[in-house]
Amino acid sequence: MPPASAAARIEDYWEDEGEEMSAPPSEQAQYQPRFRVVARKPQAGARKRTGFGPVQRAIVLTLIPVMFLVGYVFFSTLNMRGAYERAQLKAELKQIMIERQELEAEIRRQQAPGRILQKAKTLGMEPAREREFARVPTPKDSDPVR
């Protein structure tokens, strides 16, 4: 059956003035829902959640900025304390470097040849008359069988 003839039959059905207007036979069948609605009983302990009241909203809106300010003051204080400690450590390091330079200068003064000769004379030592250098051992010197 061509589609045009089916459309014509439906139009003929609706144009029939002698009969009472009703739905086409395909739509006259009773509607059968696929799902059914189930009403649940409310839980006994459950409460409805109501929104924040004006007092709670005001408290929350003041606590949020206060928390940010407290955090800012906390971290700012930590930063200042760290900077103060850093300055103290730098000053202490500078003092230690000065002491180190003074000690190195003292070591150089103690090791000076003029001071060593003077100290040796006060202890009663005399300079060597002959300078003796180390001898290179010969095989005869190291032979224990001799």
mmCIF file with all atom_site columns, all heavy atoms in Angstrom, residues 51-76:
data_model
loop_
_atom_site.group_PDB
_atom_site.id
_atom_site.type_symbol
_atom_site.label_atom_id
_atom_site.label_alt_id
_atom_site.label_comp_id
_atom_site.label_asym_id
_atom_site.label_entity_id
_atom_site.label_seq_id
_atom_site.pdbx_PDB_ins_code
_atom_site.Cartn_x
_atom_site.Cartn_y
_atom_site.Cartn_z
_atom_site.occupancy
_atom_site.B_iso_or_equiv
_atom_site.pdbx_formal_charge
_atom_site.auth_seq_id
_atom_site.auth_comp_id
_atom_site.auth_asym_id
_atom_site.auth_atom_id
_atom_site.pdbx_PDB_model_num
ATOM 1   N N   . GLY A 1 51 ? 17.577 26.743 54.438 1.00 0.00 ? 51 GLY A N   1
ATOM 2   C CA  . GLY A 1 51 ? 18.724 27.580 54.104 1.00 0.00 ? 51 GLY A CA  1
ATOM 3   C C   . GLY A 1 51 ? 19.233 28.321 55.324 1.00 0.00 ? 51 GLY A C   1
ATOM 4   O O   . GLY A 1 51 ? 18.637 28.278 56.403 1.00 0.00 ? 51 GLY A O   1
ATOM 5   N N   . PHE A 1 52 ? 20.339 28.974 55.166 1.00 0.00 ? 52 PHE A N   1
ATOM 6   C CA  . PHE A 1 52 ? 20.888 29.761 56.265 1.00 0.00 ? 52 PHE A CA  1
ATOM 7   C C   . PHE A 1 52 ? 19.942 30.906 56.586 1.00 0.00 ? 52 PHE A C   1
ATOM 8   O O   . PHE A 1 52 ? 19.389 31.551 55.707 1.00 0.00 ? 52 PHE A O   1
ATOM 9   C CB  . PHE A 1 52 ? 22.241 30.353 55.883 1.00 0.00 ? 52 PHE A CB  1
ATOM 10  C CG  . PHE A 1 52 ? 23.349 29.341 55.819 1.00 0.00 ? 52 PHE A CG  1
ATOM 11  C CD1 . PHE A 1 52 ? 24.060 29.151 54.652 1.00 0.00 ? 52 PHE A CD1 1
ATOM 12  C CD2 . PHE A 1 52 ? 23.691 28.598 56.933 1.00 0.00 ? 52 PHE A CD2 1
ATOM 13  C CE1 . PHE A 1 52 ? 25.082 28.238 54.590 1.00 0.00 ? 52 PHE A CE1 1
ATOM 14  C CE2 . PHE A 1 52 ? 24.714 27.685 56.884 1.00 0.00 ? 52 PHE A CE2 1
ATOM 15  C CZ  . PHE A 1 52 ? 25.411 27.493 55.707 1.00 0.00 ? 52 PHE A CZ  1
ATOM 16  N N   . GLY A 1 53 ? 19.816 31.150 57.854 1.00 0.00 ? 53 GLY A N   1
ATOM 17  C CA  . GLY A 1 53 ? 19.041 32.296 58.286 1.00 0.00 ? 53 GLY A CA  1
ATOM 18  C C   . GLY A 1 53 ? 19.897 33.550 58.181 1.00 0.00 ? 53 GLY A C   1
ATOM 19  O O   . GLY A 1 53 ? 21.093 33.483 57.898 1.00 0.00 ? 53 GLY A O   1
ATOM 20  N N   . PRO A 1 54 ? 19.329 34.691 58.428 1.00 0.00 ? 54 PRO A N   1
ATOM 21  C CA  . PRO A 1 54 ? 20.106 35.925 58.302 1.00 0.00 ? 54 PRO A CA  1
ATOM 22  C C   . PRO A 1 54 ? 21.266 36.004 59.304 1.00 0.00 ? 54 PRO A C   1
ATOM 23  O O   . PRO A 1 54 ? 22.323 36.542 58.992 1.00 0.00 ? 54 PRO A O   1
ATOM 24  C CB  . PRO A 1 54 ? 19.096 37.035 58.529 1.00 0.00 ? 54 PRO A CB  1
ATOM 25  C CG  . PRO A 1 54 ? 17.898 36.387 59.131 1.00 0.00 ? 54 PRO A CG  1
ATOM 26  C CD  . PRO A 1 54 ? 17.946 34.941 58.762 1.00 0.00 ? 54 PRO A CD  1
ATOM 27  N N   . VAL A 1 55 ? 21.093 35.460 60.491 1.00 0.00 ? 55 VAL A N   1
ATOM 28  C CA  . VAL A 1 55 ? 22.154 35.507 61.496 1.00 0.00 ? 55 VAL A CA  1
ATOM 29  C C   . VAL A 1 55 ? 23.317 34.601 61.077 1.00 0.00 ? 55 VAL A C   1
ATOM 30  O O   . VAL A 1 55 ? 24.489 35.000 61.115 1.00 0.00 ? 55 VAL A O   1
ATOM 31  C CB  . VAL A 1 55 ? 21.617 35.087 62.883 1.00 0.00 ? 55 VAL A CB  1
ATOM 32  C CG1 . VAL A 1 55 ? 22.734 34.999 63.904 1.00 0.00 ? 55 VAL A CG1 1
ATOM 33  C CG2 . VAL A 1 55 ? 20.546 36.052 63.349 1.00 0.00 ? 55 VAL A CG2 1
ATOM 34  N N   . GLN A 1 56 ? 22.981 33.382 60.639 1.00 0.00 ? 56 GLN A N   1
ATOM 35  C CA  . GLN A 1 56 ? 24.033 32.464 60.200 1.00 0.00 ? 56 GLN A CA  1
ATOM 36  C C   . GLN A 1 56 ? 24.762 33.022 58.976 1.00 0.00 ? 56 GLN A C   1
ATOM 37  O O   . GLN A 1 56 ? 25.980 32.916 58.866 1.00 0.00 ? 56 GLN A O   1
ATOM 38  C CB  . GLN A 1 56 ? 23.466 31.084 59.861 1.00 0.00 ? 56 GLN A CB  1
ATOM 39  C CG  . GLN A 1 56 ? 22.998 30.308 61.060 1.00 0.00 ? 56 GLN A CG  1
ATOM 40  C CD  . GLN A 1 56 ? 21.527 30.532 61.359 1.00 0.00 ? 56 GLN A CD  1
ATOM 41  O OE1 . GLN A 1 56 ? 20.864 31.326 60.709 1.00 0.00 ? 56 GLN A OE1 1
ATOM 42  N NE2 . GLN A 1 56 ? 21.026 29.838 62.371 1.00 0.00 ? 56 GLN A NE2 1
ATOM 43  N N   . ARG A 1 57 ? 24.038 33.615 58.069 1.00 0.00 ? 57 ARG A N   1
ATOM 44  C CA  . ARG A 1 57 ? 24.638 34.182 56.867 1.00 0.00 ? 57 ARG A CA  1
ATOM 45  C C   . ARG A 1 57 ? 25.579 35.328 57.245 1.00 0.00 ? 57 ARG A C   1
ATOM 46  O O   . ARG A 1 57 ? 26.680 35.432 56.716 1.00 0.00 ? 57 ARG A O   1
ATOM 47  C CB  . ARG A 1 57 ? 23.553 34.686 55.917 1.00 0.00 ? 57 ARG A CB  1
ATOM 48  C CG  . ARG A 1 57 ? 24.100 35.090 54.564 1.00 0.00 ? 57 ARG A CG  1
ATOM 49  C CD  . ARG A 1 57 ? 23.015 35.479 53.587 1.00 0.00 ? 57 ARG A CD  1
ATOM 50  N NE  . ARG A 1 57 ? 22.107 34.384 53.338 1.00 0.00 ? 57 ARG A NE  1
ATOM 51  C CZ  . ARG A 1 57 ? 20.775 34.440 53.521 1.00 0.00 ? 57 ARG A CZ  1
ATOM 52  N NH1 . ARG A 1 57 ? 20.207 35.544 53.929 1.00 0.00 ? 57 ARG A NH1 1
ATOM 53  N NH2 . ARG A 1 57 ? 20.014 33.398 53.275 1.00 0.00 ? 57 ARG A NH2 1
ATOM 54  N N   . ALA A 1 58 ? 25.172 36.153 58.184 1.00 0.00 ? 58 ALA A N   1
ATOM 55  C CA  . ALA A 1 58 ? 26.018 37.267 58.622 1.00 0.00 ? 58 ALA A CA  1
ATOM 56  C C   . ALA A 1 58 ? 27.284 36.744 59.295 1.00 0.00 ? 58 ALA A C   1
ATOM 57  O O   . ALA A 1 58 ? 28.377 37.277 59.082 1.00 0.00 ? 58 ALA A O   1
ATOM 58  C CB  . ALA A 1 58 ? 25.245 38.181 59.571 1.00 0.00 ? 58 ALA A CB  1
ATOM 59  N N   . ILE A 1 59 ? 27.148 35.702 60.107 1.00 0.00 ? 59 ILE A N   1
ATOM 60  C CA  . ILE A 1 59 ? 28.316 35.120 60.778 1.00 0.00 ? 59 ILE A CA  1
ATOM 61  C C   . ILE A 1 59 ? 29.296 34.564 59.747 1.00 0.00 ? 59 ILE A C   1
ATOM 62  O O   . ILE A 1 59 ? 30.503 34.803 59.822 1.00 0.00 ? 59 ILE A O   1
ATOM 63  C CB  . ILE A 1 59 ? 27.883 34.035 61.783 1.00 0.00 ? 59 ILE A CB  1
ATOM 64  C CG1 . ILE A 1 59 ? 27.161 34.688 62.973 1.00 0.00 ? 59 ILE A CG1 1
ATOM 65  C CG2 . ILE A 1 59 ? 29.079 33.214 62.258 1.00 0.00 ? 59 ILE A CG2 1
ATOM 66  C CD1 . ILE A 1 59 ? 26.539 33.705 63.925 1.00 0.00 ? 59 ILE A CD1 1
ATOM 67  N N   . VAL A 1 60 ? 28.784 33.823 58.778 1.00 0.00 ? 60 VAL A N   1
ATOM 68  C CA  . VAL A 1 60 ? 29.649 33.238 57.747 1.00 0.00 ? 60 VAL A CA  1
ATOM 69  C C   . VAL A 1 60 ? 30.319 34.340 56.939 1.00 0.00 ? 60 VAL A C   1
ATOM 70  O O   . VAL A 1 60 ? 31.527 34.281 56.659 1.00 0.00 ? 60 VAL A O   1
ATOM 71  C CB  . VAL A 1 60 ? 28.846 32.286 56.835 1.00 0.00 ? 60 VAL A CB  1
ATOM 72  C CG1 . VAL A 1 60 ? 29.639 31.894 55.603 1.00 0.00 ? 60 VAL A CG1 1
ATOM 73  C CG2 . VAL A 1 60 ? 28.429 31.050 57.604 1.00 0.00 ? 60 VAL A CG2 1
ATOM 74  N N   . LEU A 1 61 ? 29.582 35.352 56.576 1.00 0.00 ? 61 LEU A N   1
ATOM 75  C CA  . LEU A 1 61 ? 30.144 36.418 55.755 1.00 0.00 ? 61 LEU A CA  1
ATOM 76  C C   . LEU A 1 61 ? 31.162 37.271 56.508 1.00 0.00 ? 61 LEU A C   1
ATOM 77  O O   . LEU A 1 61 ? 31.996 37.920 55.895 1.00 0.00 ? 61 LEU A O   1
ATOM 78  C CB  . LEU A 1 61 ? 29.036 37.297 55.182 1.00 0.00 ? 61 LEU A CB  1
ATOM 79  C CG  . LEU A 1 61 ? 28.162 36.618 54.116 1.00 0.00 ? 61 LEU A CG  1
ATOM 80  C CD1 . LEU A 1 61 ? 27.048 37.553 53.676 1.00 0.00 ? 61 LEU A CD1 1
ATOM 81  C CD2 . LEU A 1 61 ? 28.984 36.178 52.928 1.00 0.00 ? 61 LEU A CD2 1
ATOM 82  N N   . THR A 1 62 ? 31.109 37.273 57.833 1.00 0.00 ? 62 THR A N   1
ATOM 83  C CA  . THR A 1 62 ? 32.141 37.987 58.589 1.00 0.00 ? 62 THR A CA  1
ATOM 84  C C   . THR A 1 62 ? 33.323 37.079 58.920 1.00 0.00 ? 62 THR A C   1
ATOM 85  O O   . THR A 1 62 ? 34.452 37.550 59.026 1.00 0.00 ? 62 THR A O   1
ATOM 86  C CB  . THR A 1 62 ? 31.576 38.571 59.892 1.00 0.00 ? 62 THR A CB  1
ATOM 87  O OG1 . THR A 1 62 ? 30.970 37.528 60.648 1.00 0.00 ? 62 THR A OG1 1
ATOM 88  C CG2 . THR A 1 62 ? 30.600 39.674 59.611 1.00 0.00 ? 62 THR A CG2 1
ATOM 89  N N   . LEU A 1 63 ? 33.085 35.782 59.079 1.00 0.00 ? 63 LEU A N   1
ATOM 90  C CA  . LEU A 1 63 ? 34.171 34.872 59.416 1.00 0.00 ? 63 LEU A CA  1
ATOM 91  C C   . LEU A 1 63 ? 35.140 34.671 58.260 1.00 0.00 ? 63 LEU A C   1
ATOM 92  O O   . LEU A 1 63 ? 36.346 34.522 58.485 1.00 0.00 ? 63 LEU A O   1
ATOM 93  C CB  . LEU A 1 63 ? 33.621 33.518 59.857 1.00 0.00 ? 63 LEU A CB  1
ATOM 94  C CG  . LEU A 1 63 ? 33.101 33.447 61.290 1.00 0.00 ? 63 LEU A CG  1
ATOM 95  C CD1 . LEU A 1 63 ? 32.586 32.060 61.595 1.00 0.00 ? 63 LEU A CD1 1
ATOM 96  C CD2 . LEU A 1 63 ? 34.176 33.827 62.277 1.00 0.00 ? 63 LEU A CD2 1
ATOM 97  N N   . ILE A 1 64 ? 34.647 34.662 57.041 1.00 0.00 ? 64 ILE A N   1
ATOM 98  C CA  . ILE A 1 64 ? 35.530 34.418 55.894 1.00 0.00 ? 64 ILE A CA  1
ATOM 99  C C   . ILE A 1 64 ? 36.595 35.506 55.775 1.00 0.00 ? 64 ILE A C   1
ATOM 100 O O   . ILE A 1 64 ? 37.787 35.196 55.724 1.00 0.00 ? 64 ILE A O   1
ATOM 101 C CB  . ILE A 1 64 ? 34.704 34.250 54.602 1.00 0.00 ? 64 ILE A CB  1
ATOM 102 C CG1 . ILE A 1 64 ? 33.911 32.941 54.668 1.00 0.00 ? 64 ILE A CG1 1
ATOM 103 C CG2 . ILE A 1 64 ? 35.592 34.282 53.371 1.00 0.00 ? 64 ILE A CG2 1
ATOM 104 C CD1 . ILE A 1 64 ? 32.945 32.742 53.538 1.00 0.00 ? 64 ILE A CD1 1
ATOM 105 N N   . PRO A 1 65 ? 36.242 36.795 55.760 1.00 0.00 ? 65 PRO A N   1
ATOM 106 C CA  . PRO A 1 65 ? 37.306 37.805 55.700 1.00 0.00 ? 65 PRO A CA  1
ATOM 107 C C   . PRO A 1 65 ? 38.202 37.807 56.939 1.00 0.00 ? 65 PRO A C   1
ATOM 108 O O   . PRO A 1 65 ? 39.407 38.048 56.843 1.00 0.00 ? 65 PRO A O   1
ATOM 109 C CB  . PRO A 1 65 ? 36.561 39.135 55.587 1.00 0.00 ? 65 PRO A CB  1
ATOM 110 C CG  . PRO A 1 65 ? 35.192 38.793 55.158 1.00 0.00 ? 65 PRO A CG  1
ATOM 111 C CD  . PRO A 1 65 ? 34.937 37.408 55.630 1.00 0.00 ? 65 PRO A CD  1
ATOM 112 N N   . VAL A 1 66 ? 37.622 37.526 58.099 1.00 0.00 ? 66 VAL A N   1
ATOM 113 C CA  . VAL A 1 66 ? 38.426 37.486 59.320 1.00 0.00 ? 66 VAL A CA  1
ATOM 114 C C   . VAL A 1 66 ? 39.474 36.377 59.227 1.00 0.00 ? 66 VAL A C   1
ATOM 115 O O   . VAL A 1 66 ? 40.632 36.561 59.628 1.00 0.00 ? 66 VAL A O   1
ATOM 116 C CB  . VAL A 1 66 ? 37.525 37.303 60.568 1.00 0.00 ? 66 VAL A CB  1
ATOM 117 C CG1 . VAL A 1 66 ? 38.342 36.946 61.797 1.00 0.00 ? 66 VAL A CG1 1
ATOM 118 C CG2 . VAL A 1 66 ? 36.716 38.561 60.821 1.00 0.00 ? 66 VAL A CG2 1
ATOM 119 N N   . MET A 1 67 ? 39.094 35.224 58.676 1.00 0.00 ? 67 MET A N   1
ATOM 120 C CA  . MET A 1 67 ? 40.048 34.125 58.526 1.00 0.00 ? 67 MET A CA  1
ATOM 121 C C   . MET A 1 67 ? 41.180 34.517 57.575 1.00 0.00 ? 67 MET A C   1
ATOM 122 O O   . MET A 1 67 ? 42.348 34.205 57.823 1.00 0.00 ? 67 MET A O   1
ATOM 123 C CB  . MET A 1 67 ? 39.333 32.866 58.037 1.00 0.00 ? 67 MET A CB  1
ATOM 124 C CG  . MET A 1 67 ? 38.448 32.231 59.093 1.00 0.00 ? 67 MET A CG  1
ATOM 125 S SD  . MET A 1 67 ? 37.441 30.855 58.532 1.00 0.00 ? 67 MET A SD  1
ATOM 126 C CE  . MET A 1 67 ? 38.544 29.893 57.570 1.00 0.00 ? 67 MET A CE  1
ATOM 127 N N   . PHE A 1 68 ? 40.843 35.204 56.491 1.00 0.00 ? 68 PHE A N   1
ATOM 128 C CA  . PHE A 1 68 ? 41.886 35.662 55.569 1.00 0.00 ? 68 PHE A CA  1
ATOM 129 C C   . PHE A 1 68 ? 42.817 36.672 56.247 1.00 0.00 ? 68 PHE A C   1
ATOM 130 O O   . PHE A 1 68 ? 44.035 36.628 56.065 1.00 0.00 ? 68 PHE A O   1
ATOM 131 C CB  . PHE A 1 68 ? 41.274 36.270 54.307 1.00 0.00 ? 68 PHE A CB  1
ATOM 132 C CG  . PHE A 1 68 ? 40.806 35.241 53.321 1.00 0.00 ? 68 PHE A CG  1
ATOM 133 C CD1 . PHE A 1 68 ? 39.461 35.116 53.040 1.00 0.00 ? 68 PHE A CD1 1
ATOM 134 C CD2 . PHE A 1 68 ? 41.707 34.409 52.687 1.00 0.00 ? 68 PHE A CD2 1
ATOM 135 C CE1 . PHE A 1 68 ? 39.029 34.164 52.131 1.00 0.00 ? 68 PHE A CE1 1
ATOM 136 C CE2 . PHE A 1 68 ? 41.283 33.459 51.770 1.00 0.00 ? 68 PHE A CE2 1
ATOM 137 C CZ  . PHE A 1 68 ? 39.941 33.332 51.489 1.00 0.00 ? 68 PHE A CZ  1
ATOM 138 N N   . LEU A 1 69 ? 42.257 37.567 57.040 1.00 0.00 ? 69 LEU A N   1
ATOM 139 C CA  . LEU A 1 69 ? 43.088 38.554 57.740 1.00 0.00 ? 69 LEU A CA  1
ATOM 140 C C   . LEU A 1 69 ? 44.002 37.884 58.762 1.00 0.00 ? 69 LEU A C   1
ATOM 141 O O   . LEU A 1 69 ? 45.169 38.252 58.898 1.00 0.00 ? 69 LEU A O   1
ATOM 142 C CB  . LEU A 1 69 ? 42.215 39.607 58.413 1.00 0.00 ? 69 LEU A CB  1
ATOM 143 C CG  . LEU A 1 69 ? 41.555 40.616 57.458 1.00 0.00 ? 69 LEU A CG  1
ATOM 144 C CD1 . LEU A 1 69 ? 40.593 41.502 58.226 1.00 0.00 ? 69 LEU A CD1 1
ATOM 145 C CD2 . LEU A 1 69 ? 42.615 41.447 56.771 1.00 0.00 ? 69 LEU A CD2 1
ATOM 146 N N   . VAL A 1 70 ? 43.478 36.923 59.490 1.00 0.00 ? 70 VAL A N   1
ATOM 147 C CA  . VAL A 1 70 ? 44.297 36.203 60.469 1.00 0.00 ? 70 VAL A CA  1
ATOM 148 C C   . VAL A 1 70 ? 45.430 35.470 59.754 1.00 0.00 ? 70 VAL A C   1
ATOM 149 O O   . VAL A 1 70 ? 46.584 35.480 60.216 1.00 0.00 ? 70 VAL A O   1
ATOM 150 C CB  . VAL A 1 70 ? 43.425 35.228 61.296 1.00 0.00 ? 70 VAL A CB  1
ATOM 151 C CG1 . VAL A 1 70 ? 44.282 34.260 62.092 1.00 0.00 ? 70 VAL A CG1 1
ATOM 152 C CG2 . VAL A 1 70 ? 42.513 36.003 62.223 1.00 0.00 ? 70 VAL A CG2 1
ATOM 153 N N   . GLY A 1 71 ? 45.127 34.837 58.627 1.00 0.00 ? 71 GLY A N   1
ATOM 154 C CA  . GLY A 1 71 ? 46.172 34.165 57.851 1.00 0.00 ? 71 GLY A CA  1
ATOM 155 C C   . GLY A 1 71 ? 47.224 35.142 57.363 1.00 0.00 ? 71 GLY A C   1
ATOM 156 O O   . GLY A 1 71 ? 48.421 34.862 57.409 1.00 0.00 ? 71 GLY A O   1
ATOM 157 N N   . TYR A 1 72 ? 46.785 36.299 56.897 1.00 0.00 ? 72 TYR A N   1
ATOM 158 C CA  . TYR A 1 72 ? 47.724 37.319 56.418 1.00 0.00 ? 72 TYR A CA  1
ATOM 159 C C   . TYR A 1 72 ? 48.635 37.790 57.550 1.00 0.00 ? 72 TYR A C   1
ATOM 160 O O   . TYR A 1 72 ? 49.851 37.890 57.382 1.00 0.00 ? 72 TYR A O   1
ATOM 161 C CB  . TYR A 1 72 ? 46.957 38.499 55.830 1.00 0.00 ? 72 TYR A CB  1
ATOM 162 C CG  . TYR A 1 72 ? 47.844 39.637 55.418 1.00 0.00 ? 72 TYR A CG  1
ATOM 163 C CD1 . TYR A 1 72 ? 48.592 39.577 54.249 1.00 0.00 ? 72 TYR A CD1 1
ATOM 164 C CD2 . TYR A 1 72 ? 47.959 40.772 56.214 1.00 0.00 ? 72 TYR A CD2 1
ATOM 165 C CE1 . TYR A 1 72 ? 49.426 40.616 53.877 1.00 0.00 ? 72 TYR A CE1 1
ATOM 166 C CE2 . TYR A 1 72 ? 48.790 41.817 55.845 1.00 0.00 ? 72 TYR A CE2 1
ATOM 167 C CZ  . TYR A 1 72 ? 49.516 41.736 54.677 1.00 0.00 ? 72 TYR A CZ  1
ATOM 168 O OH  . TYR A 1 72 ? 50.346 42.764 54.318 1.00 0.00 ? 72 TYR A OH  1
ATOM 169 N N   . VAL A 1 73 ? 48.055 38.072 58.708 1.00 0.00 ? 73 VAL A N   1
ATOM 170 C CA  . VAL A 1 73 ? 48.855 38.527 59.849 1.00 0.00 ? 73 VAL A CA  1
ATOM 171 C C   . VAL A 1 73 ? 49.827 37.431 60.284 1.00 0.00 ? 73 VAL A C   1
ATOM 172 O O   . VAL A 1 73 ? 50.995 37.699 60.593 1.00 0.00 ? 73 VAL A O   1
ATOM 173 C CB  . VAL A 1 73 ? 47.936 38.950 61.017 1.00 0.00 ? 73 VAL A CB  1
ATOM 174 C CG1 . VAL A 1 73 ? 48.717 39.160 62.302 1.00 0.00 ? 73 VAL A CG1 1
ATOM 175 C CG2 . VAL A 1 73 ? 47.167 40.205 60.649 1.00 0.00 ? 73 VAL A CG2 1
ATOM 176 N N   . PHE A 1 74 ? 49.369 36.185 60.278 1.00 0.00 ? 74 PHE A N   1
ATOM 177 C CA  . PHE A 1 74 ? 50.218 35.054 60.674 1.00 0.00 ? 74 PHE A CA  1
ATOM 178 C C   . PHE A 1 74 ? 51.441 34.946 59.763 1.00 0.00 ? 74 PHE A C   1
ATOM 179 O O   . PHE A 1 74 ? 52.581 34.891 60.232 1.00 0.00 ? 74 PHE A O   1
ATOM 180 C CB  . PHE A 1 74 ? 49.389 33.764 60.656 1.00 0.00 ? 74 PHE A CB  1
ATOM 181 C CG  . PHE A 1 74 ? 50.184 32.532 60.939 1.00 0.00 ? 74 PHE A CG  1
ATOM 182 C CD1 . PHE A 1 74 ? 50.634 32.260 62.221 1.00 0.00 ? 74 PHE A CD1 1
ATOM 183 C CD2 . PHE A 1 74 ? 50.481 31.628 59.927 1.00 0.00 ? 74 PHE A CD2 1
ATOM 184 C CE1 . PHE A 1 74 ? 51.366 31.109 62.486 1.00 0.00 ? 74 PHE A CE1 1
ATOM 185 C CE2 . PHE A 1 74 ? 51.208 30.490 60.182 1.00 0.00 ? 74 PHE A CE2 1
ATOM 186 C CZ  . PHE A 1 74 ? 51.653 30.229 61.462 1.00 0.00 ? 74 PHE A CZ  1
ATOM 187 N N   . PHE A 1 75 ? 51.197 34.932 58.452 1.00 0.00 ? 75 PHE A N   1
ATOM 188 C CA  . PHE A 1 75 ? 52.316 34.778 57.524 1.00 0.00 ? 75 PHE A CA  1
ATOM 189 C C   . PHE A 1 75 ? 53.197 36.028 57.489 1.00 0.00 ? 75 PHE A C   1
ATOM 190 O O   . PHE A 1 75 ? 54.414 35.931 57.308 1.00 0.00 ? 75 PHE A O   1
ATOM 191 C CB  . PHE A 1 75 ? 51.812 34.421 56.126 1.00 0.00 ? 75 PHE A CB  1
ATOM 192 C CG  . PHE A 1 75 ? 51.325 33.001 56.047 1.00 0.00 ? 75 PHE A CG  1
ATOM 193 C CD1 . PHE A 1 75 ? 49.992 32.725 55.815 1.00 0.00 ? 75 PHE A CD1 1
ATOM 194 C CD2 . PHE A 1 75 ? 52.199 31.950 56.220 1.00 0.00 ? 75 PHE A CD2 1
ATOM 195 C CE1 . PHE A 1 75 ? 49.539 31.421 55.741 1.00 0.00 ? 75 PHE A CE1 1
ATOM 196 C CE2 . PHE A 1 75 ? 51.761 30.640 56.152 1.00 0.00 ? 75 PHE A CE2 1
ATOM 197 C CZ  . PHE A 1 75 ? 50.427 30.371 55.918 1.00 0.00 ? 75 PHE A CZ  1
ATOM 198 N N   . SER A 1 76 ? 52.617 37.189 57.681 1.00 0.00 ? 76 SER A N   1
ATOM 199 C CA  . SER A 1 76 ? 53.415 38.413 57.748 1.00 0.00 ? 76 SER A CA  1
ATOM 200 C C   . SER A 1 76 ? 54.333 38.383 58.963 1.00 0.00 ? 76 SER A C   1
ATOM 201 O O   . SER A 1 76 ? 55.504 38.765 58.883 1.00 0.00 ? 76 SER A O   1
ATOM 202 C CB  . SER A 1 76 ? 52.481 39.622 57.807 1.00 0.00 ? 76 SER A CB  1
ATOM 203 O OG  . SER A 1 76 ? 53.210 40.792 57.989 1.00 0.00 ? 76 SER A OG  1
#
